[in-house]
Amino acid sequence: MSIHVLKQGLQTTVQDFGRPGYAHLGISTSGAADAFSYQIGNKLVGNDPHDAALEITLSGGEYEFTSDACIALTGSEFNASVDDEQVSIWTRKNINKGQLLKIRSSQDGARCYLCVRGGIDVPILLNSRSTHLMTGLGGYEGRALRKGNVLDTYQSGDNNNRVELINVNEILKHLDRKIIRVIKTMEGDWFNEDVWDLFLNENFTVSQSFSRMGIRLEGNHIQSSQGNEILTQGVPLGAIQVPGSGNPIISFVEHQTTGGYPRIANVISADLCRVGQLKPGDTFQFDLVTLEAAEQLYNEQMKFIHNLSAS
């Protein structure tokens, strides 16, 4: 089966779980910005959990299917339709040969995922099909999709593994981006009590400087008591760096693998999906949790996905 791109979106890329293990080569993991929604989308259509899907940012595009297909849209609510019939999010939909899927602008967060039974077929590079935009690696020619591109699927999927969702409200709890939970990091003690009070009790706003590489925040300037530079060292996914401007930056899925700014905190793994749904203008607060709580929250999230029952 093939999918023809009739109209490109703002930034639509092929993504999967990413390519961990290459930070020493300067290549960050990449992959789905909201891996939680991506995984559920694959379960809805009966795909393997690592099958590639389309990640759509802020606005989608138009896609024609050359044969019958089964799709699911997950993540944030986008205005989407098939031949002018509205497509609901978090549900599976069958599409007939020749039908047109239109995905317009987001009604809520930054991203949605178009999962197609069989997965999107692009070459595997370093054990992944994901697109790394900053380096031009992987995905469809290392870039966002454009009008005229043709995508194929690479396997049949498995109808017996498809799931039915009953309680969407339970899913949305994992994506509530009003609160982003963090743990304290190595340079956390470089910031005094007043700075921590500001960091945890005041709203931050997502700036227009927003990408898969990093998300710059505005609204509160924070400063380290020991300067704004550290010896260059590894930067993990979700690290919150504080440059000289005082505007924190959340390192995201295509982040630089090394950096020289002090890090006040790190987003917990269970809330990286929330960061993936942040868009310019969003406001939120940080909440400090223990490492033990962070591990428990991640395990609960993985258990929730695993326990989605087959139909």
Side-chain angles (χ1 to χ4, degrees):
M1 184 197 76
S2 296
I3 305 169
H4 289 225
V5 181
L6 302 184
K7 183 178 179 181
Q8 66 191 49
L10 180 65
Q11 185 185 89
T12 299
T13 57
V14 178
Q15 299 295 345
D16 59 14
F17 259 126
R19 46 181 66 84
Y22 297 97
H24 64 293
L25 299 177
I27 303 172
S28 48
T29 302
S30 192
D34 172 5
F36 175 75
S37 299
Y38 155 77
Q39 291 177 80
I40 293 176
N42 271 333
K43 295 201 77 166
L44 278 169
V45 298
N47 279 351
D48 181 88
H50 288 225
D51 284 344
L54 295 185
E55 178 179 280
I56 294 161
T57 303
L58 297 179
S59 67
E62 297 183 6
Y63 308 89
E64 183 181 22
F65 292 76
T66 62
S67 61
D68 295 349
C70 177
I71 69 165
L73 290 177
T74 58
S76 285
E77 186 82 36
F78 276 58
N79 183 357
S81 63
V82 172
D83 288 355
D84 298 323
E85 178 186 346
Q86 197 72 18
V87 175
S88 299
I89 203 162
W90 305 112
T91 58
R92 182 171 54 251
K93 182 172 181 61
N94 291 320
I95 292 185
N96 298 324
K97 176 181 178 180
Q99 286 194 300
L100 185 65
L101 171 65
K102 297 181 180 179
I103 304 177
R104 302 174 185 86
S105 59
S106 171
Q107 306 300 295
D108 185 18
R111 296 174 173 92
C112 76
Y113 292 85
L114 170 57
C115 296
V116 182
R117 185 185 301 153
I120 302 299
D121 185 15
V122 292
I124 296 175
L125 178 64
L126 300 178
N127 301 314
S128 172
R129 290 182 166 89
S130 66
T131 310
H132 195 287
L133 291 170
M134 300 304 297
T135 58
L137 292 175
Y140 190 98
E141 299 180 358
R143 58 169 172 78
L145 298 183
R146 299 172 186 161
K147 178 180 178 180
N149 293 158
V150 178
L151 301 165
D152 295 322
T153 59
Y154 54 87
Q155 60 186 34
S156 62
D158 186 351
N159 290 341
N160 294 324
N161 287 334
R162 298 187 311 183
V163 302
E164 299 287 354
L165 295 180
I166 298 174
N167 191 350
V168 173
N169 288 333
E170 195 65 31
I171 290 174
L172 296 181
K173 290 179 183 178
H174 292 268
L175 297 173
D176 182 1
R177 59 190 190 279
K178 296 183 181 68
I179 297 291
I180 304 292
R181 292 165 292 193
V182 299
I183 57 172
K184 200 171 185 179
T185 51
M186 291 179 62
E187 294 86 45
D189 291 334
W190 287 29
F191 300 85
N192 63 35
E193 186 175 335
D194 289 340
V195 171
W196 271 102
D197 183 67
L198 181 67
F199 183 71
L200 295 175
N201 293 299
E202 298 294 334
N203 286 334
F204 284 89
T205 301
V206 178
S207 77
Q208 295 297 319
S209 182
F210 147 92
S211 71
R212 286 174 50 85
M213 182 178 179
I215 300 169
R216 188 178 294 271
L217 307 178
E218 298 175 337
N220 302 291
H221 293 275
I222 59 176
Q223 296 288 347
S224 160
S225 60
Q226 299 188 42
N228 299 110
E229 294 184 3
I230 60 174
L231 185 66
T232 298
Q233 53 189 277
V235 176
L237 173 62
I240 302 171
Q241 301 181 87
V242 183
S245 68
N247 291 322
I249 303 169
I250 304 176
S251 299
F252 207 38
V253 287
E254 294 189 16
H255 63 88
Q256 290 177 302
T257 55
T258 61
Y261 297 134
R263 299 156 295 185
I264 186 171
N266 208 101
V267 176
I268 69 172
S269 295
D271 283 6
L272 291 171
C273 57
R274 300 183 181 194
V275 176
Q277 293 298 347
L278 290 174
K279 68 180 189 305
D282 280 351
T283 60
F284 67 92
Q285 286 189 351
F286 288 112
D287 181 31
L288 184 66
V289 300
T290 65
L291 180 59
E292 292 75 18
E295 291 175 344
Q296 181 179 351
L297 288 164
Y298 178 73
N299 289 335
E300 289 174 355
Q301 189 175 87
M302 293 301 98
K303 183 178 179 180
F304 175 83
I305 295 172
H306 177 76
N307 288 342
L308 290 173
S309 58
S311 58

